Amino acid sequence: MDLPPVGLGTMGIEDEAVVRTAIDCGYRHLDTAQIYDNESTVGAGIAAADTDRADLTVATKLWIDALEATAVRPATEASLDRLGLDAVDLLYVHRPRGDYDPETTLPAVEAVREAGLTAHVGLSNFDPDQLVVAREFLDKIAAHQVEFHPLFWRESLLTDAQKHDYPLVAYAPLAGGRVFEEPTILNIAAQHETTPAAVSIAWVTSYENVVTIPKASSQSHLEANLAAADLELTDAEIARIEAIEREEELFPE
Ligand SMILES: NC(=O)c1ccc[n+]([C@@H]2O[C@H](COP(=O)([O-])OP(=O)(O)OC[C@H]3O[C@@H](n4cnc5c(N)ncnc54)[C@H](OP(=O)(O)O)[C@@H]3O)[C@@H](O)[C@H]2O)c1
């Protein structure tokens, strides 16, 4: 899939005007999920924006209670109903948990793709071993969405994305705001006369095959995050950020 460097994470967005503003600012990749309980809001924002549906990549995710083979299609149709769309561009398995069973879940998700309800199938929060198994049952992994920011990232998942050439969609690129207090990030931001948010997004998107989906509500944050991918960090700065001690992940289960 060809995803732009910066898309919009919508977890916690409950105002369709934010989605509309984001699209008007230039966002073309919108990420929601059944568990965010805001697919209707995202759909209303898409409908209100001036941009053609065909120019947008809309992604949603099947929650862990919708992964039994017989549940996948009705759950996908319910998401489409809430979004007000005929199809999404990317349908993820949100987590390999709950009703997830690769042998039954993934063929059912493939069937939904073949029926035209999604253009692509993605995975989220999978371990490298789980990706290997998933590959046996999927035509291909179109994208893998994982926690990835200066305070937590997994090199093995980056390597898998680069080796198999699919986008790694980095979620929580600002660690929900925690990077704003990280001394190395603050120091590099001061050198570039920019914000820690911009440095964090620029670092995440500096890797081959990595795109990101920061969540933002205000127009100023939306615009700043979109522009941040243009900030160029030096190899030395990238290495300094890689050396930051990795804390525990924010979204373990
Ligand atoms: N697949 C998964 O399991 C999973 C799990 C977690 C998250 N996600 C996805 O990833 C997205 C992002 O993750 P997240 O929302 O947890 O965290 P995040 O994007 O790292 O951080 C969002 C926070 O940073 C603030 N912010 C955004 N831009 C800013 C800027 N330029 N300057 C200062 N503050 C800024 C936002 O405030 P304002 O809203 O006030 O602008 C918000 O409080 C989610 O919305 C969701 O789509 C996926």
Side-chain angles (χ1 to χ4, degrees):
M1 288 194 80
D2 196 14
L3 294 173
V6 178
L8 181 69
T10 66
M11 188 171 69
I13 293 179
E14 286 166 8
D15 180 356
E16 65 186 66
V18 174
V19 177
R20 185 196 172 153
T21 303
I23 298 170
D24 290 346
C25 286
Y27 283 79
R28 294 293 175 264
H29 172 202
L30 308 165
D31 180 85
T32 181
Q34 293 174 340
I35 195 70
Y36 304 165
D37 202 16
N38 70 352
E39 289 172 311
S40 313
T41 304
V42 172
I46 291 169
D50 272 338
T51 301
D52 280 352
R53 164 72 186 93
D55 294 332
L56 300 174
T57 297
V58 181
T60 194
K61 311 183 195 82
L62 293 166
W63 188 236
I64 60 172
D65 60 4
L67 300 178
E68 266 186 27
T70 51
V72 166
R73 182 157 182 158
T76 305
E77 286 169 344
S79 278
L80 295 176
D81 259 9
R82 290 187 289 269
L83 283 159
L85 301 175
D86 296 333
V88 285
D89 303 279
L90 180 55
L91 180 68
Y92 290 100
V93 173
H94 203 144
R95 287 187 179 272
R97 284 208 290 121
D99 296 337
Y100 178 72
D101 174 351
E103 284 186 41
T104 51
T105 304
L106 298 177
V109 181
E110 276 293 326
V112 152
R113 181 182 64 78
E114 279 159 17
L117 305 188
T118 183
H120 301 280
V121 173
L123 304 174
S124 182
N125 299 300
F126 277 53
D127 289 336
D129 291 351
Q130 292 168 324
L131 292 172
V132 171
V133 175
R135 247 179 222 109
E136 289 175 31
F137 299 100
L138 287 179
D139 181 43
K140 68 175 174 197
I141 298 170
H144 187 204
Q145 185 175 134
V146 297
E147 181 170 345
F148 194 118
H149 50 73
L151 305 180
F152 188 84
W153 57 292
R154 286 202 177 102
E155 215 149 350
S156 55
L157 299 178
L158 176 60
T159 306
D160 194 87
Q162 292 173 339
K163 181 176 161 202
H164 294 280
D165 199 22
Y166 57 80
L168 193 69
V169 180
Y171 74 67
L174 310 176
R178 291 180 198 206
V179 295
F180 305 158
E181 282 149 37
E182 210 297 317
T184 304
I185 302 289
L186 286 167
N187 178 271
I188 295 171
Q191 276 164 13
H192 284 272
E193 298 183 345
T194 186
T195 63
V199 170
S200 206
I201 290 169
W203 174 76
V204 166
T205 56
S206 70
Y207 295 95
E208 263 324 284
N209 289 68
V210 181
V211 302
T212 192
I213 47 166
K215 176 255 179 182
S217 311
S218 64
Q219 183 158 350
S220 60
H221 285 170
L222 288 166
E223 285 175 349
N225 295 349
L226 209 49
D230 295 333
L231 172 66
E232 290 222 9
L233 301 176
T234 64
D235 289 347
E237 288 167 337
I238 289 169
R240 280 178 66 200
I241 298 174
E242 286 179 349
I244 292 171
E245 195 179 330
R246 290 178 219 177
E247 296 178 350
E248 287 191 15
E249 56 188 326
L250 295 178
F251 301 96
E253 276 295 309

